[in-house]
């Protein structure tokens, strides 16, 4: 056991509950210091250190340090710092508290050495993220948070069922690599995939995330889906079905993002798309592929947060979210536009950005394994990413037509947060060695080869050319895209209301029958016991003497005979 094996995530969780009780100045200091303290503890724990606690007949490992866990905990802590900086001046106290509980629970998952500890932090994440959405304070945010909570409670029930069955089957609670060959492991896999946004429950991301506040959406983009990626990477590497689930997510996210008019929903669908790349790489399961999934998750948290910070700044300063209402904002918000473009280039894997040096690990892994179809689909998907996030988002928000809006740049803390992540997007792209050094496996890969540069630039130039050729088709109108969430937003609602109507009719019918039955009983009682009833009549003394004599005779006869 390590002498210093305190759970790093608990620093943020416990510190979060101090946020409502300190002054504004101390709150800023607390929000900035908690992620730094957690990050320091993450790196003070050497590989292999663990903390064991007895629970019933089992041994729990609430703290188990691993290379994968440290990587994800590092980026979660960095995200909490930048997200807290972005949220300082405009987030409600309850949002900041919930966000840091949420972030701390995500770090807790990365250090969980057993399935029970993982499940506890998993459910804390669900509660924290729900409160982050709810904290926006609007009716739509409240409704979205309730739908979000229902989906994640369903995922939690599935995961817990799988864990219980797995413990019964194996007698172990350890969180290790598993094979999807039993009911227990299939349930655990399904529980992880719900949080990853896998089909058919992918729509919860685009349904819920855009309804949070600008800072709330930034926090939400980082933790839930990436902890699912971490859990899949550790628990189910090389599970072939993940290749096809991931490819579905890749193209699902692209199609719906291209159809969408709301800039925040565009970026929310893009999360599904990007996580699909990671899930596909985990399904391939080689060391290069798993390195690619981990590196892509690290880079994605940064550039996706940057994109959402840019979009959130636009929404905050204009009050508008739809592409049809925006345009020409580069004239008064050049810094915000710059940061949005950096994030767009990074997500598109443009050379000298973080996406270029991380995504290419995944596509190269598919090629090295001879998975030609998978490799071609991932390349095609890369072009699709450039279409919806690399060009569509910045073009329709900051350029295209002049909307006449002239909002100022957002407050200084928001700009500082965007500068931090823009710097990281470019720094990782130019010099990826520090990131490669902390990946789960040794990296023997050089992203900057002539072949890779030429191929990627050709792909991006072709996608850009296609976008502007088909610009009229790309322009959005005031439409609504129906997704699977229609079933639980509309179909299940109508089904519930119809059931309620029939149940109400049946209840009223039962009430009438019960009422008639009770009235019949009361009527019979009244007939016999009422003033004129036979049991209420007054008998004469002579009659009473006669009945007593008759009963006495019957008794004597029964006694002698």
């Amino acid at each position: 056991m390590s002498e210093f094996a305190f759970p790093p995530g608990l620093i943020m969780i416990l510190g979060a509950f101090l946020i409502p009780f300190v002054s504004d100045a101390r709150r800023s200091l607390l929000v900035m210091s908690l992620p730094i303290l957690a990050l320091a503890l993450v790196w003070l724990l050497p590989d292999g250190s663990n903390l064991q606690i007895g629970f019933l007949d089992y041994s729990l490992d609430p703290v188990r340090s691993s290379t994968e866990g440290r990587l994800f905990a590092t980026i979660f802590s960095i995200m909490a710092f930048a997200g807290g900086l972005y949220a300082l001046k405009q987030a409600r106290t309850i949002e900041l508290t919930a966000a840091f509980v949420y972030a701390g629970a995500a770090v807790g998952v990365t250090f969980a050495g057993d399935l029970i500890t993982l499940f506890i932090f998993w459910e804390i994440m669900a509660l924290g993220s729900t409160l982050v959405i709810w904290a926006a304070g609007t009716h739509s945010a409240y409704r979205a948070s309730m739908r979000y909570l229902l989906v994640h409670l369903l995922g939690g029930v599935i995961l817990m069922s799988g864990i219980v069955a797995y413990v019964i089957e194996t007698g172990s609670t350890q969180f290790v690599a598993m094979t999807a060959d039993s009911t227990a492991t299939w349930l655990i896999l399904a529980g992880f995939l719900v949080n990853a946004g896998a089909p058919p429950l992918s729509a919860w991301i685009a349904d819920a995330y855009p309804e949070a506040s600008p800072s709330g959406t930034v926090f939400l983009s980082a933790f839930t889906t990436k902890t699912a990626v971490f859990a899949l990477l550790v628990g189910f590497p090389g599970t072939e079905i993940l290749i096809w689930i991931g490819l579905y997510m890749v193209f699902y996210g692209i199609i719906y993002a291209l159809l969408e008019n709301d800039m925040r929903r565009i970026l929310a669908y893009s999360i599904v798309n990007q996580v699909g790349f990671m899930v596909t790489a985990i399904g391939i399961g080689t060391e290069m592929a798993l390195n690619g999934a981990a590196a892509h998750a690290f880079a994605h948290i940064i550039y996706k947060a940057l994109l959402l910070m840019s979009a959130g700044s636009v929404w905050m300063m204009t009050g508008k979210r739809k592409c049809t209402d925006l345009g020409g904002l580069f004239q008064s918000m050049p810094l915000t536009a710059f940061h949005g473009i950096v994030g767009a280039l990074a997500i598109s894997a443009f050379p000298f950005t973080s996406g270029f040096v991380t995504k290419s690990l995944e596509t190269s892994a598919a090629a090295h394994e001879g998975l030609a179809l998978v490799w071609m689909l991932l390349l095609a998907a890369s072009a699709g990413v450039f279409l919806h996030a690399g060009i569509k988002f910045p073009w329709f928000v900051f350029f295209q037509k002049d909307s006449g809006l002239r909002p100022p740049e957002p407050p200084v803390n928001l700009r500082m947060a965007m500068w931090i992540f823009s710097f990281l997007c470019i720094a990782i792209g130019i010099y990826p060695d520090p990131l490669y050094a902390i990946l789960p496996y040794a990296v023997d890969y050089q992203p900057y080869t002539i072949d890779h540069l030429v191929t990627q630039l050709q792909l991006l130039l072709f996608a850009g050319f296609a976008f502007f050729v088909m610009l009229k088709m790309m322009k959005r109108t005031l439409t609504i895209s129906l997704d699977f969430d229609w079933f639980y937003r509309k179909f299940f609602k109508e089904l519930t209301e119809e059931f309620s109507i029939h149940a109400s009719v049946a209840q009223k019918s039962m009430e009438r029958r019960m009422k008639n039955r009770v009235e019949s009983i009361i009527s019979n009682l009244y007939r016999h016991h009422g003033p004129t009833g036979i049991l209420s009549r007054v008998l004469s003394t002579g009659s009473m003497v006669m009945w007593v004599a008759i009963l006495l005779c019957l008794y004597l006869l029964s006694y002698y005979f």
Side-chain angles (χ1 to χ4, degrees):
M1 181 187 296
S2 171
E3 296 178 358
F4 193 50
F6 185 80
L10 281 185
I11 290 178
M12 282 196 277
I13 293 175
L14 297 175
F17 290 103
L18 297 176
I19 291 175
F21 303 104
V22 297
S23 63
D24 289 345
R26 291 180 177 176
R27 181 177 301 148
S28 299
L29 179 62
L30 186 62
V31 167
M32 294 292 95
S33 61
L34 286 175
I36 295 173
L37 290 173
L39 182 60
L41 185 52
V42 165
W43 283 94
L44 283 172
L45 289 171
D47 280 348
S49 61
N50 70 315
L51 171 67
Q52 295 186 345
I53 297 175
F55 176 73
L56 299 177
D57 295 329
Y58 305 101
S59 177
L60 304 186
D61 295 328
V63 182
R64 186 178 67 192
S65 180
S66 65
T67 306
E68 298 91 341
R70 181 183 289 113
L71 173 74
F72 279 83
T74 297
I75 189 56
F76 288 162
S77 300
I78 293 171
M79 176 63 234
F81 177 84
L85 177 61
Y86 186 86
L88 269 182
K89 302 296 183 182
Q90 46 92 15
R92 296 170 63 189
T93 302
I94 188 174
E95 180 184 307
L96 279 173
T97 303
F100 274 79
V101 170
Y102 179 32
V107 174
V109 169
T110 65
F111 279 89
D114 65 273
L115 291 167
I116 295 175
T117 299
L118 181 144
F119 177 78
I120 292 170
F121 282 119
W122 199 266
E123 292 305 287
I124 293 173
M125 282 176 51
L127 295 175
S129 54
T130 300
L131 284 175
V132 169
I133 301 169
W134 179 78
T138 63
H139 180 64
S140 59
Y142 172 76
R143 289 166 61 88
S145 68
M146 292 300 102
R147 293 190 296 270
Y148 176 92
L149 182 61
L150 288 174
V151 170
H152 286 277
L153 288 179
L154 171 64
V157 169
I158 294 171
L159 178 59
M160 188 69 236
S161 301
I163 291 172
V164 171
Y166 182 80
V167 172
I168 292 172
E169 285 180 7
T170 65
S172 171
T173 63
Q174 294 301 299
F175 180 39
V176 294
M178 295 170 273
T179 304
D181 58 0
S182 67
T183 301
T185 51
W186 276 111
L187 287 171
I188 293 173
L189 177 61
F192 290 160
L193 287 172
V194 169
N195 271 27
L201 298 177
S202 302
W204 61 263
I205 295 177
D207 175 39
Y209 286 6
E211 301 306 326
S213 70
S215 54
T217 305
V218 171
F219 278 107
L220 291 165
S221 70
F223 301 118
T224 299
T225 51
K226 306 317 171 300
T227 51
V229 169
F230 166 79
L232 290 170
L233 190 149
V234 174
F236 293 95
T239 303
E240 187 175 351
I241 193 173
L242 293 178
I243 296 175
W244 310 110
I245 292 174
L247 288 172
Y248 175 93
M249 294 170 66
V250 165
F251 289 98
Y252 161 91
I254 291 172
I255 292 169
Y256 272 97
L258 287 172
L259 294 173
E260 190 53 61
N261 183 36
D262 186 318
M263 64 176 176
R264 282 157 61 86
R265 287 177 62 87
I266 291 172
L267 297 177
Y269 276 119
S270 180
I271 293 173
V272 183
N273 159 261
Q274 294 293 289
V275 173
F277 277 89
M278 304 169 208
V279 172
T280 300
I282 294 169
I284 294 172
T286 63
E287 290 188 358
M288 178 180 282
L290 296 178
N291 276 342
H296 189 183
F298 192 101
H300 174 261
I301 288 174
I302 296 171
Y303 60 64
K304 180 58 68 177
L306 179 59
L307 285 166
L308 287 167
M309 286 176 179
S310 175
S313 298
V314 169
W315 182 33
M316 187 186 305
M317 305 311 294
T318 66
K320 299 182 183 299
R321 292 169 39 175
K322 296 186 181 299
C323 293
T324 47
D325 297 330
L326 296 168
L329 298 185
F330 77 96
Q331 299 174 75
S332 60
M333 301 181 74
L335 286 178
T336 304
F338 168 78
H339 294 307
I341 291 170
V342 170
L345 292 176
I347 196 174
S348 305
F350 199 85
F352 305 105
T353 65
S354 56
F356 181 79
V357 300
T358 56
K359 281 187 182 180
S360 56
L361 283 165
E362 297 168 323
T363 53
S364 297
H368 289 174
E369 290 302 300
L371 301 172
L373 177 61
V374 175
W375 176 75
M376 287 189 290
L377 290 173
L378 289 177
L379 283 182
S382 297
V385 172
F386 190 47
L387 282 175
H388 77 264
I391 302 180
K392 179 181 176 179
F393 164 69
W395 175 257
F396 285 116
V397 173
F398 297 109
F399 301 100
Q400 64 143 350
K401 63 180 177 63
D402 187 353
S403 62
L405 300 172
R406 294 294 183 270
E409 294 284 5
V412 63
N413 62 298
L414 279 72
R415 298 199 300 271
M416 289 174 62
M418 289 190 284
W419 274 116
I420 291 171
F421 275 178
S422 286
F423 169 77
L424 288 176
C425 282
I426 297 171
I428 293 172
I430 294 174
Y431 186 58
D433 290 354
L435 174 57
Y436 286 175
I438 61 174
L439 292 178
Y441 304 97
V443 178
D444 181 17
Y445 176 72
Q446 174 52 253
Y448 288 104
T449 62
I450 297 298
D451 177 65
H452 184 206
L453 283 167
V454 171
T455 300
Q456 190 66 12
L457 286 173
Q458 286 178 333
L459 188 71
L460 295 176
L461 287 173
F462 173 78
F465 175 75
F467 178 86
F468 288 105
V469 167
M470 300 185 293
L471 189 57
K472 290 184 178 180
M473 297 175 62
M474 290 292 179
K475 288 183 178 180
R476 300 317 318 141
T477 57
L478 296 175
T479 56
I480 297 174
S481 301
L482 292 180
D483 203 337
F484 187 81
D485 63 332
W486 178 85
F487 283 95
Y488 52 82
R489 290 165 61 100
K490 184 71 175 176
F491 176 73
F492 289 145
K493 179 184 176 184
E494 295 292 337
L495 193 65
T496 302
E497 289 178 352
E498 187 69 19
F499 175 79
S500 298
I501 292 171
H502 288 292
S504 178
V505 172
Q507 181 183 2
K508 290 178 180 178
S509 175
M510 184 179 294
E511 287 176 353
R512 284 196 301 270
R513 289 198 299 271
M514 290 296 294
K515 181 180 178 182
N516 293 338
R517 183 64 177 168
V518 171
E519 288 177 349
S520 175
I521 292 171
I522 293 173
S523 177
N524 288 332
L525 289 172
Y526 185 82
R527 187 168 65 251
H528 291 93
H529 293 273
T532 60
I534 188 170
L535 297 178
S536 298
R537 294 176 185 173
V538 179
L539 300 177
S540 63
T541 303
S543 298
M544 290 298 295
V545 171
M546 182 187 68
W547 279 109
V548 169
I550 292 171
L551 291 173
L552 182 59
C553 289
L554 291 173
Y555 175 75
L556 292 172
L557 289 172
S558 64
Y559 179 78
Y560 286 108
F561 296 99

PDB file of all heavy atoms in Angstrom, residues 260-271:
ATOM      1  N   GLU A 260     -28.092  20.403 -38.613  1.00  0.00           N
ATOM      2  CA  GLU A 260     -28.483  21.247 -37.479  1.00  0.00           C
ATOM      3  C   GLU A 260     -28.280  22.729 -37.765  1.00  0.00           C
ATOM      4  O   GLU A 260     -27.390  23.130 -38.508  1.00  0.00           O
ATOM      5  CB  GLU A 260     -27.670  20.818 -36.243  1.00  0.00           C
ATOM      6  CG  GLU A 260     -28.113  21.431 -34.950  1.00  0.00           C
ATOM      7  CD  GLU A 260     -29.585  21.231 -34.688  1.00  0.00           C
ATOM      8  OE1 GLU A 260     -30.030  20.068 -34.577  1.00  0.00           O
ATOM      9  OE2 GLU A 260     -30.301  22.253 -34.598  1.00  0.00           O
ATOM     10  N   ASN A 261     -29.131  23.552 -37.158  1.00  0.00           N
ATOM     11  CA  ASN A 261     -29.071  25.005 -37.296  1.00  0.00           C
ATOM     12  C   ASN A 261     -28.518  25.673 -36.038  1.00  0.00           C
ATOM     13  O   ASN A 261     -27.930  26.742 -36.110  1.00  0.00           O
ATOM     14  CB  ASN A 261     -30.470  25.556 -37.603  1.00  0.00           C
ATOM     15  CG  ASN A 261     -30.473  27.057 -37.844  1.00  0.00           C
ATOM     16  OD1 ASN A 261     -29.537  27.603 -38.410  1.00  0.00           O
ATOM     17  ND2 ASN A 261     -31.520  27.725 -37.389  1.00  0.00           N
ATOM     18  N   ASP A 262     -28.699  25.034 -34.897  1.00  0.00           N
ATOM     19  CA  ASP A 262     -28.249  25.574 -33.612  1.00  0.00           C
ATOM     20  C   ASP A 262     -26.746  25.287 -33.446  1.00  0.00           C
ATOM     21  O   ASP A 262     -26.328  24.129 -33.476  1.00  0.00           O
ATOM     22  CB  ASP A 262     -29.048  24.915 -32.486  1.00  0.00           C
ATOM     23  CG  ASP A 262     -28.760  25.509 -31.124  1.00  0.00           C
ATOM     24  OD1 ASP A 262     -27.589  25.772 -30.822  1.00  0.00           O
ATOM     25  OD2 ASP A 262     -29.714  25.697 -30.360  1.00  0.00           O
ATOM     26  N   MET A 263     -25.937  26.341 -33.265  1.00  0.00           N
ATOM     27  CA  MET A 263     -24.479  26.137 -33.237  1.00  0.00           C
ATOM     28  C   MET A 263     -24.058  25.253 -32.066  1.00  0.00           C
ATOM     29  O   MET A 263     -23.092  24.482 -32.166  1.00  0.00           O
ATOM     30  CB  MET A 263     -23.755  27.484 -33.170  1.00  0.00           C
ATOM     31  CG  MET A 263     -24.010  28.290 -31.914  1.00  0.00           C
ATOM     32  SD  MET A 263     -23.018  29.807 -31.877  1.00  0.00           S
ATOM     33  CE  MET A 263     -23.637  30.564 -30.362  1.00  0.00           C
ATOM     34  N   ARG A 264     -24.764  25.339 -30.934  1.00  0.00           N
ATOM     35  CA  ARG A 264     -24.381  24.510 -29.790  1.00  0.00           C
ATOM     36  C   ARG A 264     -24.777  23.051 -30.004  1.00  0.00           C
ATOM     37  O   ARG A 264     -24.094  22.135 -29.556  1.00  0.00           O
ATOM     38  CB  ARG A 264     -25.019  25.072 -28.511  1.00  0.00           C
ATOM     39  CG  ARG A 264     -24.270  26.276 -27.985  1.00  0.00           C
ATOM     40  CD  ARG A 264     -25.129  27.160 -27.098  1.00  0.00           C
ATOM     41  NE  ARG A 264     -25.624  26.488 -25.921  1.00  0.00           N
ATOM     42  CZ  ARG A 264     -24.962  26.374 -24.771  1.00  0.00           C
ATOM     43  NH1 ARG A 264     -23.732  26.865 -24.662  1.00  0.00           N
ATOM     44  NH2 ARG A 264     -25.510  25.794 -23.727  1.00  0.00           N
ATOM     45  N   ARG A 265     -25.871  22.827 -30.711  1.00  0.00           N
ATOM     46  CA  ARG A 265     -26.260  21.460 -31.039  1.00  0.00           C
ATOM     47  C   ARG A 265     -25.327  20.867 -32.102  1.00  0.00           C
ATOM     48  O   ARG A 265     -25.074  19.662 -32.105  1.00  0.00           O
ATOM     49  CB  ARG A 265     -27.718  21.408 -31.500  1.00  0.00           C
ATOM     50  CG  ARG A 265     -28.716  21.608 -30.375  1.00  0.00           C
ATOM     51  CD  ARG A 265     -30.162  21.623 -30.890  1.00  0.00           C
ATOM     52  NE  ARG A 265     -30.528  20.356 -31.502  1.00  0.00           N
ATOM     53  CZ  ARG A 265     -31.016  19.305 -30.835  1.00  0.00           C
ATOM     54  NH1 ARG A 265     -31.167  19.373 -29.522  1.00  0.00           N
ATOM     55  NH2 ARG A 265     -31.346  18.210 -31.467  1.00  0.00           N
ATOM     56  N   ILE A 266     -24.827  21.700 -33.007  1.00  0.00           N
ATOM     57  CA  ILE A 266     -23.829  21.227 -33.973  1.00  0.00           C
ATOM     58  C   ILE A 266     -22.634  20.644 -33.230  1.00  0.00           C
ATOM     59  O   ILE A 266     -22.174  19.528 -33.514  1.00  0.00           O
ATOM     60  CB  ILE A 266     -23.368  22.382 -34.887  1.00  0.00           C
ATOM     61  CG1 ILE A 266     -24.488  22.812 -35.831  1.00  0.00           C
ATOM     62  CG2 ILE A 266     -22.136  21.955 -35.695  1.00  0.00           C
ATOM     63  CD1 ILE A 266     -24.156  24.078 -36.625  1.00  0.00           C
ATOM     64  N   LEU A 267     -22.149  21.388 -32.248  1.00  0.00           N
ATOM     65  CA  LEU A 267     -20.971  20.946 -31.509  1.00  0.00           C
ATOM     66  C   LEU A 267     -21.297  19.778 -30.585  1.00  0.00           C
ATOM     67  O   LEU A 267     -20.421  18.955 -30.290  1.00  0.00           O
ATOM     68  CB  LEU A 267     -20.398  22.119 -30.713  1.00  0.00           C
ATOM     69  CG  LEU A 267     -19.905  23.299 -31.571  1.00  0.00           C
ATOM     70  CD1 LEU A 267     -19.417  24.448 -30.698  1.00  0.00           C
ATOM     71  CD2 LEU A 267     -18.793  22.849 -32.523  1.00  0.00           C
ATOM     72  N   ALA A 268     -22.537  19.684 -30.116  1.00  0.00           N
ATOM     73  CA  ALA A 268     -22.932  18.543 -29.281  1.00  0.00           C
ATOM     74  C   ALA A 268     -22.968  17.260 -30.105  1.00  0.00           C
ATOM     75  O   ALA A 268     -22.475  16.209 -29.670  1.00  0.00           O
ATOM     76  CB  ALA A 268     -24.291  18.807 -28.642  1.00  0.00           C
ATOM     77  N   TYR A 269     -23.534  17.334 -31.311  1.00  0.00           N
ATOM     78  CA  TYR A 269     -23.510  16.155 -32.185  1.00  0.00           C
ATOM     79  C   TYR A 269     -22.075  15.786 -32.558  1.00  0.00           C
ATOM     80  O   TYR A 269     -21.748  14.606 -32.740  1.00  0.00           O
ATOM     81  CB  TYR A 269     -24.322  16.415 -33.450  1.00  0.00           C
ATOM     82  CG  TYR A 269     -25.804  16.173 -33.284  1.00  0.00           C
ATOM     83  CD1 TYR A 269     -26.728  17.207 -33.468  1.00  0.00           C
ATOM     84  CD2 TYR A 269     -26.288  14.919 -32.944  1.00  0.00           C
ATOM     85  CE1 TYR A 269     -28.089  16.977 -33.323  1.00  0.00           C
ATOM     86  CE2 TYR A 269     -27.646  14.687 -32.786  1.00  0.00           C
ATOM     87  CZ  TYR A 269     -28.542  15.722 -32.977  1.00  0.00           C
ATOM     88  OH  TYR A 269     -29.890  15.501 -32.817  1.00  0.00           O
ATOM     89  N   SER A 270     -21.221  16.790 -32.653  1.00  0.00           N
ATOM     90  CA  SER A 270     -19.829  16.528 -32.972  1.00  0.00           C
ATOM     91  C   SER A 270     -19.135  15.723 -31.871  1.00  0.00           C
ATOM     92  O   SER A 270     -18.189  14.977 -32.155  1.00  0.00           O
ATOM     93  CB  SER A 270     -19.097  17.854 -33.190  1.00  0.00           C
ATOM     94  OG  SER A 270     -17.746  17.644 -33.491  1.00  0.00           O
ATOM     95  N   ILE A 271     -19.600  15.867 -30.621  1.00  0.00           N
ATOM     96  CA  ILE A 271     -19.034  15.057 -29.532  1.00  0.00           C
ATOM     97  C   ILE A 271     -19.266  13.580 -29.811  1.00  0.00           C
ATOM     98  O   ILE A 271     -18.372  12.748 -29.652  1.00  0.00           O
ATOM     99  CB  ILE A 271     -19.667  15.460 -28.179  1.00  0.00           C
ATOM    100  CG1 ILE A 271     -19.243  16.879 -27.799  1.00  0.00           C
ATOM    101  CG2 ILE A 271     -19.252  14.475 -27.082  1.00  0.00           C
ATOM    102  CD1 ILE A 271     -19.941  17.417 -26.563  1.00  0.00           C
TER     103      ILE A 271
END
